[in-house]
Amino acid sequence: MLFLSVNKNFSCRITFEHLCYLPAFFTLLLQYIFQVFNSKTAELLSHHQVEIKQEFPREGWVEQDPKEILQSVYECIEKTCEKLGQLNIDISNIKAIGVSNQRETTVVWDKLTGEPLYNAVVWLDLRTQSTVESLSKRIPGNNNFVKSKTGLPLSTYFSAVKLRWLLDNVRKVQKAVEEDRALFGTIDSWLIWSLTGGASGGVHCTDVTNASRTMLFNIHSLEWDKELCEFFEIPMKILPNVRSSSEIYGLMKAGALEGVPISGCLGDQSAALVGQMCFQDGQAKNTYGTGCFLLCNTGRKCVFSEHGLLTTVAYKLGRDKPVYYALEGSVAIAGAVIRWLRDNLGIIKSSEEIEKLAKEVGTSYGCYFVPAFSGLYAPYWEPSARGIICGLTQFTNKCHIAFAALEAVCFQTREILDAMNRDCGIPLSHLQVDGGMTNNKILMQLQADILYIPVVKPSMPETTALGAAMAAGAAEGVGVWSLEPEDLSAVTMERFEPQINAEESEIRYSTWKKAVMKSMGWVTTQSSESGDPSIFCSLPLGFFIVSSVVMLIGARYLSGMP
């Protein structure tokens, strides 16, 4: 999306972003002068977006093509610049570029050719479950050094085990490492390296927020950790340099924005925290995207959760600036359940239709949907869970299932909010929200009802892109965006108040918890992690052999009959 706003400081900001389940966001920042009418923010919207294809080569595997991701960025930059021209805005006024991305998705590429050595292994991917279980046995029960150093539980979610799988199973990756040609990175690293020159001098770096999601980064020393790299058997030479979230990393080497500095880099949830201006200890936001992510700023101190939340780096907005931390509740499936209803079940033709279906009935009629497609994340961290729809009757129809899907997003948010309130000790009085799903008014009202606190949505819900723009504009050497509290503009908000009584809210929530318990323990570790075909792939041959034996026995039996 191209977002142009004129604020009280007379600076015009243009934000370009990928929406809808994309692994990367790009943000363009433009400083321009406009007249401000009535001392209020004026806004002008335009957009271009490209949806990236997801590949599911096997059950539980999720991949994307890194070259397609990069090409989509170039396409969106070109189209955005064209639209700026149509608005009579000179693109030479674009001062900086910021990058934000889904954090844990893993890429390995050849630094000599610039070619990816395998598809990007997406954060939702489950192929490494047996690796996680085997590594867990090597961590002493009284000394979980992985969690104490990284703030993260050992899980398929994070990059280290995905990288370990690539090193174990992809010969092209193994050979490139042996020949010192391999580079590893999350999507931000892949994009920055490619856009700043690639094989011809591209900058191989990441920022502290993305590094903190690899399970190889010490969130206290802010460095790659030798003990963690040895534990996961990851060669440190393939890791990117770790930088702050706001500094000039390099210049664009091609395209319409050649020469423009890339000066902001934040993982998507950290970018949303910045975009929501949650700079104070105790401020929190919830982002509704593919998954659902609730972050609470804990200031300059690491707070370790006792209720299933993650400790993560929130941001470090400058080389000489302090690092800030956050508690995070991560839900794997939020917007992805809407996509599933569209692409897998076909009960809607577009994501927007779900609001219409849910509005028709106004209730799930006792139907509960637990979308544990990738197991359960916070606060359970239960990989054996799988999705279930329960409470079905002959009366249940697609409208009730649509409503139950929206409720599921809200119930999952309630679970992580409850955990955060227990860890922080002071319950949130309201919830700040953002992300594409917040355009769904039924969802927002349901969320207020289920949390039984007000839900507050900014007028520009895609705050992830705004946060990346703020980081890029505030970088030393760019300096077109001040992050000082007195310089930050107030954001207009839409507010949703609870409309049901607290008792009804609790009854619905307790029934949901019963459904969650029923979703657990459905699967055991698959033995096919290496990618070898499972025995079930030979079922047609098996049926042929069995049927041949049966026919032979039958023929002999019949030939012996009088």
Side-chain angles (χ1 to χ4, degrees):
M1 178 173 284
L2 175 67
F3 177 78
L4 170 64
S5 70
V6 187
N7 67 16
K8 66 180 182 182
N9 297 324
F10 301 94
S11 66
C12 170
R13 296 157 187 169
I14 289 196
T15 300
F16 147 76
E17 57 178 312
H18 286 156
L19 303 176
C20 304
Y21 324 112
L22 299 190
F25 294 77
F26 244 71
T27 304
L28 309 182
L29 173 66
L30 171 66
Q31 185 182 37
Y32 206 80
I33 303 299
F34 274 81
Q35 180 181 1
V36 179
F37 297 97
N38 300 322
S39 301
K40 292 183 179 179
T41 298
E43 295 181 350
L44 178 62
L45 289 173
S46 179
H47 76 277
H48 186 78
Q49 68 184 58
V50 178
E51 187 167 343
I52 304 296
K53 180 184 175 184
Q54 287 190 345
E55 298 178 22
F56 305 94
R58 299 187 59 177
E59 183 182 353
W61 293 27
V62 189
E63 299 177 359
Q64 290 175 318
D65 181 353
K67 293 177 74 174
E68 182 187 353
I69 294 168
L70 179 60
Q71 185 53 43
S72 75
V73 168
Y74 278 121
E75 178 185 335
C76 286
I77 288 175
E78 296 301 321
K79 295 293 184 182
T80 300
C81 289
E82 286 177 18
K83 292 184 180 183
L84 286 176
Q86 293 167 9
L87 294 169
N88 296 318
I89 296 173
D90 187 347
I91 64 170
S92 67
N93 287 300
I94 293 174
K95 300 301 181 184
I97 297 170
V99 181
S100 183
N101 57 287
Q102 290 183 4
R103 299 163 292 179
E104 300 80 11
T105 299
T106 298
V107 187
V108 179
W109 65 94
D110 189 318
K111 68 182 179 183
L112 301 183
T113 66
E115 290 294 310
L117 298 170
Y118 192 79
N119 273 345
V121 182
V122 176
W123 61 280
L124 283 168
D125 190 279
L126 292 176
R127 74 187 70 187
T128 56
Q129 184 53 41
S130 66
T131 299
V132 168
E133 291 176 6
S134 113
L135 288 169
S136 296
K137 295 172 184 174
R138 293 169 45 197
I139 298 177
N142 60 351
N143 180 27
N144 189 340
F145 65 94
V146 173
K147 186 168 185 180
S148 64
K149 289 186 173 193
T150 67
L152 311 173
L154 194 56
S155 166
T156 60
Y157 182 15
F158 306 108
S159 306
V161 289
K162 302 179 195 299
L163 179 54
R164 183 68 258 153
W165 185 91
L166 291 169
L167 291 167
D168 288 340
N169 294 283
V170 181
R171 181 57 193 148
K172 286 170 69 175
V173 172
Q174 295 166 353
K175 194 167 187 294
V177 171
E178 291 164 6
E179 296 174 0
D180 198 25
R181 293 183 287 109
L183 295 178
F184 152 79
T186 42
I187 295 295
D188 58 301
S189 297
W190 161 243
L191 290 177
I192 292 173
W193 183 85
S194 300
L195 295 169
T196 56
S200 302
V203 178
H204 187 215
C205 69
T206 188
D207 89 301
V208 289
T209 66
N210 282 293
S212 74
R213 310 297 289 197
T214 61
M215 238 172 5
L216 301 170
F217 185 73
N218 189 312
I219 61 174
H220 309 285
S221 66
L222 303 182
E223 296 174 330
W224 299 119
D225 191 279
K226 188 171 185 292
E227 183 183 14
L228 291 170
C229 289
E230 288 175 352
F231 176 72
F232 290 104
E233 299 179 82
I234 303 297
M236 296 184 75
K237 64 182 180 180
I238 71 174
L239 303 178
N241 293 320
V242 182
R243 312 275 286 271
S244 77
S245 307
S246 179
E247 61 179 275
I248 295 176
Y249 312 111
L251 306 180
M252 286 282 290
K253 294 299 184 185
L257 298 180
E258 184 176 352
V260 175
I262 300 174
S263 57
C265 182
L266 286 158
D268 53 2
Q269 303 313 317
S270 290
L273 194 73
V274 171
Q276 286 268 29
M277 302 183 196
C278 295
F279 295 124
Q280 302 301 314
D281 191 342
Q283 288 186 308
K285 67 86 204 173
N286 196 39
T287 299
Y288 300 78
T290 305
C292 200
F293 302 89
L294 177 61
L295 265 71
C296 180
N297 190 330
T298 62
R300 300 186 192 183
K301 60 183 182 295
C302 281
V303 175
F304 284 86
S305 173
E306 297 180 1
H307 302 96
L309 303 181
L310 311 176
T311 303
T312 195
V313 174
Y315 51 81
K316 185 178 188 293
L317 295 172
R319 277 178 291 191
D320 301 322
K321 300 291 185 181
V323 63
Y324 283 76
Y325 296 93
L327 275 176
E328 176 176 333
S330 308
V331 170
I333 304 295
V337 74
I338 313 304
R339 189 175 190 172
W340 183 81
L341 291 175
R342 184 193 71 188
D343 297 345
N344 292 45
L345 291 194
I347 70 172
I348 54 175
K349 292 181 180 178
S350 69
S351 299
E352 293 73 26
E353 280 184 41
I354 194 161
E355 184 172 9
K356 180 182 176 183
L357 287 182
K359 192 173 183 179
E360 282 183 28
V361 288
T363 176
S364 66
Y365 202 76
C367 172
Y368 287 83
F369 191 163
V370 182
F373 301 154
S374 300
L376 290 168
Y377 283 18
Y380 302 101
W381 297 105
E382 181 50 70
S384 72
R386 285 297 178 270
I388 64 168
I389 303 175
C390 55
L392 299 173
T393 69
Q394 287 182 312
F395 183 72
T396 307
N397 61 36
K398 65 180 182 180
C399 296
H400 299 117
I401 292 173
F403 195 95
L406 294 181
E407 276 192 318
V409 175
C410 301
F411 285 131
Q412 290 179 105
T413 298
R414 166 75 186 269
E415 289 188 305
I416 55 177
L417 183 66
D418 284 355
M420 194 161 284
N421 285 340
R422 289 194 293 270
D423 278 326
C424 295
I426 304 173
L428 291 178
S429 60
H430 65 275
L431 182 65
Q432 290 178 232
V433 299
D434 58 77
M437 289 188 78
T438 60
N439 291 322
N440 187 319
K441 292 186 182 297
I442 296 285
L443 177 70
M444 292 295 94
Q445 186 57 56
L446 276 172
Q447 190 66 87
D449 290 344
I450 289 167
L451 297 180
Y452 210 67
I453 58 173
V455 168
V456 180
K457 170 193 165 186
S459 55
M460 200 277 281
E462 293 300 337
T463 52
T464 300
L466 178 60
M470 292 167 70
E476 183 180 351
V478 178
V480 297
W481 203 313
S482 171
L483 298 182
E484 295 302 319
E486 62 272 16
D487 295 327
L488 296 174
S489 305
V491 179
T492 57
M493 298 283 189
E494 184 176 2
R495 191 177 179 94
F496 296 84
E497 298 284 349
Q499 292 183 354
I500 64 173
N501 61 54
E503 184 180 2
E504 183 183 348
S505 179
E506 288 304 316
I507 290 170
R508 285 160 68 176
Y509 182 49
S510 63
T511 309
W512 155 263
K513 299 279 277 188
K514 283 167 59 179
V516 170
M517 293 300 111
K518 293 181 186 298
S519 76
M520 296 184 187
W522 281 88
V523 293
T524 54
T525 304
Q526 299 292 320
S527 61
S528 55
E529 184 176 305
S530 66
D532 296 331
S534 73
I535 189 171
F536 295 105
C537 295
S538 61
L539 276 176
L541 176 62
F543 282 128
F544 173 77
I545 293 170
V546 171
S547 61
S548 298
V549 172
V550 170
M551 285 190 292
L552 179 61
I553 293 171
R556 288 186 176 178
Y557 173 73
L558 290 171
S559 66
M561 290 180 67

